[in-house]
């Protein structure tokens, strides 16, 4: 069976009451552990990246997994967006709201330049706060966001609403 024919969606496991009661966590680790399935996901993501993209932006932490594999497949560089205190050089940072508080993301000031076109990649789109903060960081550097690309979208949380002016793509959507 060719990688694109693998039913990787069947390898997404529901874990009830994680990380807290009432939450059904979408666990991607079985899919990541299956080589043909992971390859299929990366191939499907690659089909959604335009020809003029300069870099992939991966968001900590699972966005690094998808972003690195996608950047490698496309021959592009990978720019990482990290949690506070993880980047060694001069940074831009942005605070954003979570359903349970406030968090911060950072990017190196020299990671991108004006006019660079990027695709932001992460494993999951939920409420959109992390993705919107990443868009803000990329734009602080003068780069253009071609799209945000996710393996999974929890559509019932309307994360797209936080990304109104950005094209959003997801491979698998839970309504």
């Amino acid at each position: 069976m060719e990688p694109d024919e693998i039913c990787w969606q069947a390898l997404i496991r529901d874990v009830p009451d994680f990380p807290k009661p009432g939450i059904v966590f979408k666990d991607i680790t079985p899919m990541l552990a299956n080589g043909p399935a992971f390859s299929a996901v990366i191939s499907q993501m690659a089909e959604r990246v335009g020809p003029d993209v300069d870099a992939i932006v991966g968001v900590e932490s699972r966005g690094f997994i998808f972003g690195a594999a996608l950047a490698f497949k496309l021959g592009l560089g990978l720019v990482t967006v990290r949690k506070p205190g993880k980047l060694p050089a001069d940074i831009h940072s942005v605070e954003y709201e979570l359903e349970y508080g406030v968090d911060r993301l950072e990017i190196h000031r020299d990671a991108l330049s004006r006019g660079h076109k990027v695709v932001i990649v992460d494993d999951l789109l939920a409420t959109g706060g992390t993705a919107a903060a990443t868009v803000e960081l990329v734009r602080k550097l003068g780069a253009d966001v071609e799209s945000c690309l996710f393996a999974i979208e929890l559509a019932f949380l309307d994360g797209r609403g936080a990304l109104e002016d950005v094209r959003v793509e997801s491979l698998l959507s839970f309504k």
Side-chain angles (χ1 to χ4, degrees), residues 49-50 53 55-58 70 117-121 145-149:
V49 176
V53 170
I56 300 297
V57 175
L70 183 59
K117 282 180 68 174
V118 304
V119 172
I120 296 170
V121 176
V145 178
E146 182 199 70
S147 65
C148 289
L149 178 56

Side-chain angles (χ1 to χ4, degrees), residues 83-141:
K83 299 287 184 179
K86 304 286 186 178
L87 294 173
D90 290 336
I91 55 130
H92 276 300
S93 66
V94 65
E95 276 191 0
Y96 65 103
E97 298 285 326
L98 299 167
E99 61 244 41
Y100 47 84
V102 177
D103 208 347
R104 178 178 292 281
L105 290 174
E106 299 177 344
I107 192 170
H108 276 136
R109 287 180 183 262
D110 61 357
L112 297 165
S113 300
R114 184 159 307 286
H116 275 137
K117 282 180 68 174
V118 304
V119 172
I120 296 170
V121 176
D122 208 351
D123 67 321
L124 180 94
L125 175 61
T127 62
T130 301
T134 303
V135 168
E136 185 178 338
L137 282 173
V138 166
R139 289 179 174 163
K140 275 187 176 185
L141 299 178

